[in-house]
């Protein structure tokens, strides 16, 4: 009997140590990041929701090859208690079958999904950038989906351009006069022939809603939620208040960083100040990061410049921001989450997670080949 017990104990110890040896204990930015099945995590352009003791990572499920950047599958979800080891929770929002005519039909472009928790309704709300199939990037829509279960399935509600029929809070009288110099003209997203104000792009899109591409969500301490998106042919960032259900816009929004072509917005709050990290607008190719600070989420925002230190190529350590995660239970510990896109084989995209450092009202990011939470 004693012998049996002893061998059982040894077996348990061996099992435990095997299990531990598979555990990931550090972040290795840019390396393959295996999930609980040993498969590289597939949640690009993602964001994280912390809920009831667990982190949930939602992102774009990419597939192989250069067509793998369109949505062939949907939004993938993973969960973790320690941020290093992630369990595959499957597809939270699935694309609809080909030929279904749904705005989220297989082959659409569905990017930068973010999920927030709505306390009032005790449900989960997902927003994403949507380009219906076949239209390239001309749609500039925001999609929204909801679920009572954090990992899904999420039910698609609708996709639209935000804030149709509403002027921004910081609109000028000239803008409201509605004069649109080049009626109906769109500019492709990378540059404009003139300042967005002189083209009056807000008035151009007043009736149909404002263009919305790269985006993030932010829930403030008072439970008000905001949708932050690149608008006006990507030239200008809009910060828009969502309704109490988080499923629609309210018409309350401001324009920020006019003509700066801010993309990839990631927002966080620290010591009652709001911060944004953003990129410039160069498609899948990385560019130099930007950052900004504000006392009020709807502005004024003040640019702080490139937060990266020792980034010799000035390309955000070859990544583009997608989210900044406050680490639970650790004061002042925030993680920069970026994507190192690999457009020729989209599924191979890598994750660049780095710790934020603070100095006064500014934040900084330094390169680490391997690091752990303190
Ligand atoms: C990037 C954007 C990505 C994706 C890509 C397509 O600028 O941040 O989310 O839209 O362009 O080229």
């Amino acid at each position: 009997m004693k012998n049996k017990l002893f061998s059982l104990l040894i077996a348990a110890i061996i099992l435990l140590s095997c299990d531990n040896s598979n555990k990931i204990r550090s972040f290795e930015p840019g390396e393959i990041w295996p999930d609980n099945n040993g498969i590289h995590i597939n949640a690009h352009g993602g964001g994280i929701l912390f809920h009831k003791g667990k982190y949930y990572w939602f992102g774009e499920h990419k597939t192989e090859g250069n067509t793998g950047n369109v949505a062939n599958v949907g939004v993938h979800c993973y969960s973790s208690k320690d941020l290093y080891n992630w369990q595959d929770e499957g597809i939270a929002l699935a694309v609809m079958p080909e030929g279904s005519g749904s705005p989220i039909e297989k082959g659409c472009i569905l990017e930068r999904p973010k999920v927030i928790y709505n306390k009032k309704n005790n449900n989960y709300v997902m927003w994403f950038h949507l380009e219906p199939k076949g239209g390239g990037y001309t749609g500039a829509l925001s999609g929204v989906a909801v679920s009572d279960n954090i990992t899904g399935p999420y039910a698609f509600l609708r996709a639209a351009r935000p804030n149709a029929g509403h002027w921004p809070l910081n609109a000028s009288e000239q803008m409201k006069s509605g004069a649109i110099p080049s009626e109906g003209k769109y500019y492709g997203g990378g540059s404009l022939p003139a300042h967005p104000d002189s083209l009056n792009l807000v008035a151009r899109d007043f009736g149909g809603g404002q263009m919305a591409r790269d985006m993030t969500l932010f829930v403030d301490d008072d439970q008000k939620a905001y949708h932050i998106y690149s608008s006006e042919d990507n030239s200008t960032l809009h910060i828009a208040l969502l309704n109490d259900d988080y499923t629609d816009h309210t018409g309350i929004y401001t324009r920020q960083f006019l003509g700066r072509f801010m993309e990839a917005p990631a927002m966080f709050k620290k010591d009652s100040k709001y911060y944004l990290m953003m990129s410039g607008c160069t498609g899948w190719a990385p560019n130099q990061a930007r950052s900004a600070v504000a006392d009020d989420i709807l502005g004024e925002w003040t640019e702080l410049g490139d937060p990266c230190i020792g980034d010799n190529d000035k390309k955000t350590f070859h990544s583009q921001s997608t989210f900044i995660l406050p680490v639970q239970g650790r004061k002042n510990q925030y993680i920069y989450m970026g994507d190192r896109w690999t457009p020729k084989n989209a599924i191979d995209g890598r994750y660049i997670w780095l710790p934020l450092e603070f100095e006064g009202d500014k934040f900084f990011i330094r390169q680490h080949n391997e690091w752990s939470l303190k």
Side-chain angles (χ1 to χ4, degrees), residues 228-296:
I228 299 116
Y229 51 89
S230 307
S231 193
E232 303 178 40
D233 285 292
N234 299 339
S235 70
T236 300
L237 197 76
H238 287 191
I239 303 182
L241 178 68
L242 293 176
N243 67 4
D244 288 351
D245 296 329
Y246 301 170
T247 53
D248 209 347
H249 295 83
T250 53
I252 294 170
Y253 70 106
T254 60
R255 303 166 70 226
Q256 304 296 335
F257 314 112
L258 314 190
R260 289 281 288 135
F261 288 86
M262 300 294 200
E263 282 204 316
M267 186 183 278
F268 67 98
K269 191 176 184 181
K270 181 181 173 286
D271 301 333
S272 60
K273 283 197 187 294
Y274 301 86
Y275 293 88
L276 269 168
M277 177 148 172
M278 298 155 290
S279 73
C281 187
T282 54
W284 301 117
N287 56 54
Q288 187 167 19
R290 293 122 180 244
S291 64
V293 64
D295 290 320
D296 185 327

Side-chain angles (χ1 to χ4, degrees), residues 102-119:
S102 161
I104 59 163
E105 173 174 341
K106 184 175 178 199
C108 68
I109 294 170
L110 196 166
E111 293 179 340
R112 299 187 175 274
K114 303 287 177 290
V115 175
I116 50 180
Y117 172 63
N118 185 288
K119 234 183 199 166

Side-chain angles (χ1 to χ4, degrees), residues 92 116 121-126 145-155:
I116 50 180
N121 299 331
N122 188 28
N123 70 353
Y124 306 88
V125 185
M126 178 190 289
V146 291
S147 177
D148 289 335
N149 181 14
I150 191 162
T151 56
Y154 283 75

Side-chain angles (χ1 to χ4, degrees), residues 200-221:
N200 208 352
L201 303 181
V202 174
R204 178 195 67 187
D205 294 331
F206 185 78
Q210 299 299 315
M211 297 179 88
R213 293 199 182 104
D214 276 14
M215 55 142 280
T216 194
L217 300 175
F218 181 78
V219 181
D220 210 343
D221 303 326

